[in-house]
Amino acid sequence: MAEYGDESSRIPSRWGYGAERLPATLDELHGPKAGQVELPLHLAWSGLRVFKIDDVKLLLGMYRIVLNNGLRDDFVQYLDGELLVRHWPILRKMLGRGVRRTWEEAFPELRPSAAA
């Protein structure tokens, strides 16, 4: 059994933010593109939990919660790759440096230079 801090352990931590949490490609993200989503308590334990995808402010808020608190299965279930790329220029400003860096390093299409 791996000890705490053992790098051979591949169980993703909710406290760290590493690339092991991410899907292999953005094509794996098949979250809703319309309608309403209710996030589970393990993602949204305080405040708003129901989001209308058609409302950009609510969509960005939901994506922020999922990106900050989610694991791979959450990303696949609640994020859509096309919507993520489309809204990334604004969304990236709402995320912490570690989250933003991890996603942009893993997916070049999210880097600011890709949008230019």
Side-chain angles (χ1 to χ4, degrees):
M1 186 159 142
E3 292 185 32
Y4 178 77
D6 181 355
E7 291 192 29
S8 66
S9 173
R10 295 292 175 221
I11 299 171
S13 167
R14 285 201 178 273
W15 304 109
Y17 205 100
E20 72 277 356
R21 293 173 76 167
L22 305 182
T25 70
L26 293 181
D27 292 335
E28 291 181 42
L29 304 178
H30 294 289
K33 292 186 178 213
Q36 188 168 291
V37 174
E38 182 174 353
L39 292 179
L41 285 172
H42 76 272
L43 290 175
W45 56 87
S46 172
L48 188 62
R49 289 186 50 217
V50 178
F51 300 86
K52 292 181 181 177
I53 302 297
D54 301 328
D55 182 321
V56 173
K57 286 184 182 180
L58 292 177
L59 171 77
L60 292 173
M62 183 186 90
Y63 273 42
R64 179 176 171 255
I65 290 169
V66 174
L67 288 164
N68 282 323
N69 302 325
L71 296 174
R72 184 188 179 286
D73 290 343
D74 300 312
F75 302 145
V76 170
Q77 182 174 355
Y78 296 108
L79 303 179
D80 176 77
E82 182 182 316
L83 289 176
L84 181 66
V85 171
R86 181 183 317 151
H87 294 289
W88 188 257
I90 295 170
L91 186 59
R92 72 184 304 275
K93 297 172 188 173
M94 301 168 64
L95 301 169
R97 182 178 297 138
V99 175
R100 183 176 57 242
R101 182 182 308 133
T102 300
W103 281 82
E104 289 178 351
E105 285 177 1
F107 306 110
E109 59 267 50
L110 296 178
R111 294 178 189 155
S113 58

